[in-house]
Amino acid sequence: MLEIVRIPVLSDNYVWLMHDAASGDTVVVDPAVAEPVLAAAADRGWTIGQIWNTHWHPDHVGGNAAIKAATGCIVTGPAAEAEKIGTLDRLVGEGDSVRIGDHVAQVMAVPAHTAGHIAYHLADDRILFVGDTLFAMGCGRLFEGTAAQMFANMQRFAALPDDTVVYCAHEYTQSNGRFALRIEPDNAAIAARMAQVDAARARGEATVPTTIALERDTNVFLRARDVAELAARRTAKDAG
């Protein structure tokens, strides 16, 4: 079994720390900063051996250099963004695989938020690290890609098993849910989920990870029927 720890940093980022007890290997996914990550690993007696980056944005790679200097870990990230992530040791893309102990993650190319964005899918473990492509009840902004690319990403994610646990990198669920209620005001699943989300946030609790089944029922971007509908929803969300 893999143990995954959520580390809240900055204003709304989550860094994920994943540990395989059998091998002793520990992976950091998208470290925005180093100090809280190193502290969380030290508190548990874990030695960080790898960093997995999903894309180049500073709030996902900002901790790479300091963690690498402190641990000597190997940094893996998208080959298409190697020029923007100077700390990479291993470049990967669609169809490549990475490992934590005996657990294998397939790399998925999911461009749109950034041109070379990737996700890491541990199919046997029903785990998916999506960076800023998919959020709880939302999707990433189209900074470097197109609505067509994001729609294709959503279709790929929607086809995964229901019990796949989705680890995204931001606490955006409340904002996303309020928008979802505007788009699908009669969707009882969205209304019910938002009641839970609002209660959780009032208690200071996180609302991620999520699951593919939950997103299929309540995420209006994953539920978009075509590219035009996703594009219109993304434009409306960006406009507030």
Side-chain angles (χ1 to χ4, degrees), residues 25-32 34 38 48-57 60-79 81-82 84-93 97-99 107 118 120:
D25 198 8
T26 303
V27 172
V28 183
V29 182
D30 283 347
L38 291 168
I48 295 170
Q50 300 183 65
I51 293 171
W52 295 353
N53 291 143
T54 62
H55 65 292
W56 68 267
H57 284 165
H60 292 256
V61 303
N64 281 11
I67 294 172
K68 187 175 181 177
T71 65
C73 67
I74 300 298
V75 184
T76 298
E81 298 184 356
K84 296 183 176 181
I85 311 175
T87 47
L88 293 182
D89 299 300
R90 184 181 178 199
L91 312 180
V92 295
S97 62
V98 293
R99 306 176 70 94
V107 176
I118 59 175
Y120 298 91

